[in-house]
Amino acid sequence: MTAGEGLRERKKRETAMRIWRTALDLFTERGFDHVSVAEIAAAADVSKMTVFNYFGTKEDLVTAPMMNHVGDVVRAVREREAGESAVAAVRRQFLEMIELRDPSVGLNDDPRSLQARQLIQNTPVLLQRVSLAFGEAQRELAELLAAEGGDPMLAAVAAAQLTGARNALINEHHRRILGGESARWVATDAAERAERAFVQVENGLGSYPGPA
């Protein structure tokens, strides 16, 4: 139990975790398309309604942790400091997450998380869901940049570069960890790789779109 967490909150968290783990095991064993929510509920010893109370859709049973961070890049740009460029804000946020060993940037070798990642990669409907979500975040970022006075076309290009660099770094972390490297080892040069990636973006974007 975390500090300040009541018994009710702890039980809710434990129930959600049990449902998630049960779903991952069943999906891994039989395939995403061959497992029903009712079967997951029965295996987790909860009602079908309880599953949907915690996870809005069947796909959320796998993708929910990732979906919670889809909007990180938009938030970094929207909440950036006065005078800070978009690329500097995204780089700063990413480096902070690396310093914290945040799982959302791929520095996670927990077996369950790796299991979820592999399920997404091997299941077209899940891969499409994730792709659409990140595509929507990229469009939202482009709209935000354009609203600050940027040309809509150039704003779209900038958004693609920023989200592309960030996603490429995260995918590299996942690739290495799935290949057998520990998250701790991958993290040792994660900041250096991120710096190189964002320098490359910055060389093309410069201080675009100007001070916030």
Side-chain angles (χ1 to χ4, degrees):
M1 183 185 299
T2 59
E5 181 183 40
L7 178 61
R8 183 178 180 182
E9 288 74 22
R10 177 173 64 83
K11 287 186 174 180
K12 288 175 65 176
R13 177 170 55 82
E14 290 175 347
T15 298
M17 185 62 67
R18 185 171 74 253
I19 294 170
W20 182 65
R21 288 174 174 170
T22 300
L24 288 182
D25 287 342
L26 289 174
F27 291 149
T28 299
E29 178 185 351
R30 294 161 49 191
F32 181 81
D33 296 328
H34 301 293
V35 179
S36 69
V37 173
E39 289 173 313
I40 293 168
D45 197 26
V46 297
S47 69
K48 183 177 177 179
M49 182 60 68
T50 297
V51 174
F52 284 123
N53 284 340
Y54 285 95
F55 301 91
T57 67
K58 180 181 174 182
E59 290 76 13
D60 287 339
L61 284 160
V62 181
T63 64
M66 184 178 293
M67 292 299 101
N68 291 335
H69 294 278
V70 167
D72 283 351
V73 65
V74 179
R75 183 168 60 256
V77 174
R78 179 181 292 120
E79 299 175 1
R80 72 189 190 277
E81 299 171 358
E84 187 176 34
S85 69
V87 65
V90 175
R91 175 174 53 203
R92 175 172 54 81
Q93 181 198 63
F94 198 84
L95 290 173
E96 288 172 356
M97 289 179 167
I98 289 175
E99 181 68 24
L100 295 171
R101 300 296 188 266
D102 196 305
S104 69
V105 294
L107 297 176
N108 188 356
D109 52 12
D110 172 73
R112 293 288 185 177
S113 296
L114 296 180
Q115 186 180 5
R117 178 73 181 183
Q118 289 178 311
L119 269 171
I120 292 171
Q121 290 182 338
N122 298 332
T123 309
V125 67
L126 296 177
L127 196 58
Q128 181 183 40
R129 181 182 180 88
V130 171
S131 177
L132 288 173
F134 279 99
E136 180 57 35
Q138 181 176 313
R139 285 190 291 275
E140 185 178 350
L141 178 58
E143 291 173 359
L144 173 62
L145 294 172
E148 294 183 8
D151 175 271
M153 185 273 291
L154 293 179
V157 172
Q161 289 180 283
L162 288 168
T163 57
R166 193 176 186 281
N167 290 341
L169 288 165
I170 294 172
N171 287 336
E172 175 65 5
H173 296 165
H174 283 303
R175 183 192 67 78
R176 291 176 61 183
I177 291 172
L178 287 172
E181 297 181 56
S182 70
R184 177 174 294 186
W185 176 252
V186 173
T188 59
D189 62 350
E192 187 271 335
R193 285 196 309 277
E195 289 282 11
R196 285 193 287 118
F198 286 113
V199 163
Q200 180 171 307
V201 174
E202 193 168 38
N203 286 338
L205 296 180
S207 61
Y208 177 90

